[in-house]
Amino acid sequence: MPAGDALLGRVIDGLGQPIDGAGPLGVIDRAPLRPPSMNPLDREPVAAPIGTGVRAIDKAGRSAGDSAASSAAAASARAPCSA
């Protein structure tokens, strides 16, 4: 696809061809429509999840270890003391 400052003010179709009657584009630069995808392993790991504001979705996104630990903490808080 054509790219660059020569496109400013021009009207092109979906294939990058000029349709405004002002002649050829005169573009030197080209850019891919679909650039290569990023390798997910090159990304930084997520440090803290972003809350969506929907409790059902936010709770479903927790890892199993988090919910197991919070369940154990809640159970121990409710357990009666055996003294």
Side-chain angles (χ1 to χ4, degrees), residues 6 8-11 17-26:
L8 292 175
R10 299 296 306 268
V11 181
Q17 304 299 319
I19 57 173
D20 56 6
L25 291 174

Side-chain angles (χ1 to χ4, degrees), residues 15 23 45 80:
L15 298 174

Side-chain angles (χ1 to χ4, degrees), residues 36-81:
S37 23
M38 181 178 169
N39 182 353
L41 298 176
D42 291 341
R43 292 182 51 182
E44 297 262 341
V46 177
I50 299 173
T52 63
V54 179
R55 281 185 273 179
I57 293 173
D58 291 342
K59 288 188 181 216
R62 279 197 216 161
S63 68
D66 289 345
S67 53
S70 60
S71 296
S76 65
R78 288 190 302 259
C81 294

